[in-house]
Amino acid sequence: MASWRHLSRVIVMQSFFENLVHSGGLEDILEYNLSEYGEKIEDTKFAENLIEKMKKNQKVIDKLITKHAPEWPLEKMNPVERVILTLGICELLYPEKDVPVNVAINESIELAKTYGDESSSKFVNGVLNSVAHDDTIKKK
């Protein structure tokens, strides 16, 4: 059984993806998805904080994706992988105090296995490990 935080990440990923593909009010999309699919989530603040950090830091995160996956321009990247990387990098750079690096990476890999194609989990794992070991990044 998935934890409520895993479910929160799924809803955040789906909401961010929906906003990326269709545009619109990200907070409204998240609110709707939480109300429809988040009945088992104990604390919606986790999802709300995560999506706010993703939105606020999108440019920084996009630069890191570009740096650590140079052979995949953002506009050509699989949008599901792009959103999963955005979520994962966000959790690496701006972590919740009780979410270790390995948990953030493993959660993103699991999302890639579930929602990506057969090579997505390896791609996500490689990029996130590269970001996690990048000593030039100031993590907060």
Side-chain angles (χ1 to χ4, degrees):
M1 183 155 123
S3 74
W4 67 268
R5 282 196 172 181
H6 179 78
L7 179 58
S8 294
R9 287 180 180 96
V10 169
I11 291 172
V12 164
M13 180 203 67
Q14 290 172 336
S15 298
F16 207 81
F17 178 83
E18 185 177 339
N19 187 66
L20 180 70
V21 174
H22 298 294
S23 296
L26 184 55
E27 292 81 8
D28 293 337
I29 294 169
L30 178 66
E31 183 180 331
Y32 174 80
N33 287 338
L34 284 170
S35 70
E36 286 295 311
Y37 310 110
E39 66 275 350
K40 294 182 182 178
I41 294 176
E42 295 174 14
D43 183 6
T44 60
K45 287 288 183 206
F46 178 78
E48 292 161 356
N49 289 340
L50 187 53
I51 207 131
E52 184 61 34
K53 288 187 257 184
M54 289 168 68
K55 179 181 172 184
K56 178 181 174 186
N57 299 291
Q58 183 69 52
K59 289 181 183 177
V60 170
I61 294 168
D62 283 350
K63 286 180 185 176
L64 286 170
I65 293 171
T66 300
K67 177 181 178 182
H68 292 278
E71 61 283 348
W72 289 101
L74 291 174
E75 62 277 356
K76 299 215 182 218
M77 186 177 288
N78 176 324
V80 172
E81 290 173 354
R82 182 177 173 186
V83 171
I84 293 169
L85 286 173
T86 300
L87 189 154
I89 291 171
C90 183
E91 285 202 273
L92 293 176
L93 294 180
Y94 314 101
E96 294 291 320
K97 59 184 170 243
D98 59 343
V99 178
V101 168
N102 64 328
V103 170
I105 292 173
N106 287 338
E107 283 287 326
S108 293
I109 292 168
E110 288 304 313
L111 291 172
K113 286 179 182 177
T114 302
Y115 297 98
D117 63 28
E118 59 198 39
S119 63
S120 293
S121 62
K122 290 178 185 174
F123 177 66
V124 167
N125 183 33
V127 174
L128 291 182
N129 273 303
S130 180
V131 171
H133 292 94
D134 186 336
D135 294 331
T136 65
I137 301 170
K138 291 184 181 183
K139 294 154 180 117
K140 297 178 181 168

